[in-house]
Amino acid sequence: MEATKKLQKLSLAALIVSLLPLAALVPVFLKITLPDGVRTVWAVCNIVLALAGLLFSLVCVKSERSRSAVNIMSTVISAALVLMMLGIAALALVLNFLQ
C-alpha cells in the first residue's frame, strides 16, 4: 500500500517534470527575446528536466501495479522531448560538418 502511494506521487512528479520543458514556449508566445546566458541556462534546464521526467516515468511504468494513463502519458511526453533534443543535436552536428 505504501509503495503504491509512493509510486503515485512519483508518477505525478514525472508528469509535472515532463511538462515543465514546455514552459520554454512561453517567451516565444509573448514575443520576448531572452539574453544569451538566460537561453543557455534555460536549455540546460530543459534537457535535465526531460531526462529526469523520462527516468521518473520509466520507473513508474516498469511496475505493472503502478502503470496508469498518467504514467504512460508522461513517458510519451518525455520520450518525445528527448528524441526531439537528440534530433536537434544530430542536425547541428551534420550541419556543422557540411560547412
Side-chain angles (χ1 to χ4, degrees), residues 11 16 20 25 29 55 60 63-64 77 83-84 90 94 96:
S11 69
I16 291 170
L20 280 177
L25 297 174
F29 292 138
L55 180 70
C60 291
S63 172
E64 276 189 42
I77 291 169
L83 285 175
M84 186 172 29
V94 167
N96 194 19

Side-chain angles (χ1 to χ4, degrees), residues 39-50:
R39 275 189 283 169
T40 302
V41 170
W42 198 302
V44 170
C45 288
N46 284 339
I47 292 169
V48 169
L49 287 171

Side-chain angles (χ1 to χ4, degrees), residues 71-89:
N71 293 338
I72 294 170
M73 188 169 54
S74 67
T75 304
V76 169
I77 291 169
S78 295
L81 287 172
V82 169
L83 285 175
M84 186 172 29
M85 288 177 192
L86 288 175
I88 290 170

Side-chain angles (χ1 to χ4, degrees), residues 20-31:
L20 280 177
L22 298 177
L25 297 174
V26 172
V28 173
F29 292 138
L30 297 176
K31 297 182 182 182

